Amino acid sequence: AEDEAANLATRSALALGAILVVVAIVGFVPNPIVGDPANGPFIVTGAVLDTIHLASGMALLWVGLALTTRGQGKALIAFGGTWVVLVVLTLLSANLFGILGAAPWYGVNLPGHLLHLALALSAVAVGLIALRSEPSAPVIGPDPEEADA
């Protein structure tokens, strides 16, 4: 179970990181799926949010490649928690109080909110699984089976 959770944490961090990097790069190119509101995309981002996606994705790739299972679990929980906060803040102000760009054009739209929330909750869930799979501290002392021999 420990190896499965470690694999899940690594694969999830790498997958989420890769998705965010790809979304960020695609967001910088005019297309109908994701990007600048001037292009009428399904998911509105803009340069600031694309940069946030790129930085987040690169951070998750590092988490997947460089950390132990326990470190990945903690990082995924922190990452997911941060994105939950961002979802709440963008629900209060779609353009994050002007940080993402001029209102109303650069506001996070419903598909964006739903994807950010799914990203956040999946990161927290995988992080919790990774932390719960860590073995407990080793017992110090003689092995009870050896004492019977």
Side-chain angles (χ1 to χ4, degrees):
E2 180 184 340
D3 288 341
E4 290 174 18
N7 288 335
L8 176 65
T10 299
R11 285 192 317 266
S12 296
L14 293 175
L16 292 173
I19 289 167
L20 283 168
V21 167
V22 168
V23 166
I25 292 169
V26 171
F28 284 114
V29 179
N31 70 83
I33 300 168
V34 61
D36 193 276
N39 300 314
F42 179 65
I43 300 172
V44 175
T45 58
V48 175
L49 192 51
D50 289 332
T51 304
I52 292 169
H53 289 152
L54 184 61
S56 297
M58 290 170 58
L60 278 177
L61 291 173
W62 178 81
V63 166
L65 294 172
L67 298 182
T68 63
T69 304
R70 185 161 187 77
Q72 289 172 339
K74 289 179 179 181
L76 285 166
I77 291 168
F79 176 84
T82 301
W83 276 92
V84 166
V85 170
L86 287 173
V87 168
V88 170
L89 290 174
T90 56
L91 285 170
L92 295 173
S93 170
N95 71 342
L96 201 56
F97 308 99
I99 294 171
L100 300 179
W105 306 284
Y106 285 93
V108 177
N109 59 3
L110 181 60
H113 287 305
L114 294 175
L115 288 172
H116 289 150
L117 188 60
L119 170 82
L121 296 179
S122 62
V124 170
V126 171
L128 290 171
I129 291 168
L131 287 182
R132 290 192 176 142
S133 73
E134 283 287 305
S136 58
V139 176
I140 299 175
D143 185 353
E145 292 180 16
E146 289 181 13
D148 293 336

